[in-house]
Amino acid sequence: MWRVIVQPALLFVTPFVVYALYLLTRRRWPFVTTLWTRGVVSSLTIAGLATAVAGFIFLALLSPRNEGTYVPAHIEDGRLAPGRFQ
């Protein structure tokens, strides 16, 4: 469950962290409010959303797919048999 919450959050925050690192390399303190104008924050928000969506698409395309027919959990000989792919 944590992966569902943390993974998109990290993807969304990535552009903000990159911008803060950019400010540090330019020898500016990144926590000054004048450097975070409305335009910069808007651009970073759009970039963060695009990164999160691209991450979702990337993971959906590369996630392993089980082939075959799914047999749901059922009772066999009085015991619960877990679901599986055949």
Side-chain angles (χ1 to χ4, degrees):
M1 182 64 189
W2 282 104
R3 181 179 175 192
V4 174
I5 297 169
V6 172
Q7 196 169 26
L10 288 177
L11 288 172
F12 178 76
V13 170
T14 301
F16 294 93
V17 172
V18 169
Y19 181 66
L21 291 174
Y22 167 74
L23 291 176
L24 283 173
T25 58
R26 301 275 317 243
R27 299 195 184 266
R28 295 183 178 172
W29 185 244
F31 300 112
V32 176
T33 58
T34 57
L35 297 174
W36 296 85
T37 62
R38 183 177 291 180
V40 170
V41 173
S42 298
S43 299
L44 292 174
T45 301
I46 291 170
L49 289 173
T51 304
V53 169
F56 280 135
I57 292 170
F58 180 75
L59 290 174
L61 292 175
L62 294 181
S63 65
R65 306 236 189 263
N66 293 322
E67 305 232 348
T69 306
Y70 178 71
V71 178
H74 59 280
I75 303 290
E76 280 183 6
D77 299 325
R79 302 184 115 189
L80 179 64
R84 64 186 182 279
F85 284 92
Q86 283 186 340

